[in-house]
Amino acid sequence: MTATFQTVKNMFSAYLNQDFDLVFGTVDDAIRAFVQHSAPDEVSRAKHEIRTILAMQLPEEELQKVILQDLGSCYYYPAEWASAQLWLEHVLALLVS
């Protein structure tokens, strides 16, 4: 599945790695850094990939596996967000703004 979502995997593994809080402070600042440091077409691909993931309407448990294992996010969103869908929608909003 990660080959289909390579841009999001690159974003999560590079910006939401195990040290993201030390480097960026917050997860939102890490996503904003991705936007600042990436070419517009890369940000557009990330938005498209997140929209595609959301459209798949995966069960929460499966979507959590995709985010935390397949896409390499070290940010444990369940500690702050009620669902993966809500968190991905938030990430999408940060990419759009």
Side-chain angles (χ1 to χ4, degrees):
M1 176 176 296
T2 57
T4 308
F5 306 114
Q6 193 60 48
T7 304
V8 174
K9 181 176 178 154
N10 291 342
M11 175 178 62
F12 284 178
S13 62
Y15 289 86
L16 298 181
N17 62 40
Q18 67 273 11
D19 295 326
F20 81 87
D21 56 336
L22 301 173
V23 176
F24 303 107
T26 69
V27 67
D28 286 7
D29 287 341
I31 300 299
R32 288 184 191 105
F34 167 78
V35 173
Q36 289 178 334
H37 299 139
S38 300
D41 64 315
E42 187 173 14
V43 175
S44 291
R45 280 193 308 272
K47 290 187 290 191
H48 174 75
E49 290 175 10
I50 289 174
R51 286 183 183 116
T52 301
I53 293 167
L54 288 168
M56 295 168 68
Q57 299 184 336
L58 298 171
E60 177 65 27
E61 188 174 290
E62 189 173 343
L63 191 50
Q64 182 175 337
K65 178 192 172 295
V66 167
I67 292 168
L68 299 176
Q69 294 176 19
D70 299 341
L71 297 176
S73 174
C74 289
Y75 168 64
Y76 188 70
Y77 74 86
E80 297 184 64
W81 291 88
S83 71
Q85 178 177 340
L86 289 175
W87 182 66
L88 286 176
E89 289 170 351
H90 177 73
V91 172
L92 186 59
L94 291 172
L95 294 174
V96 172
S97 60

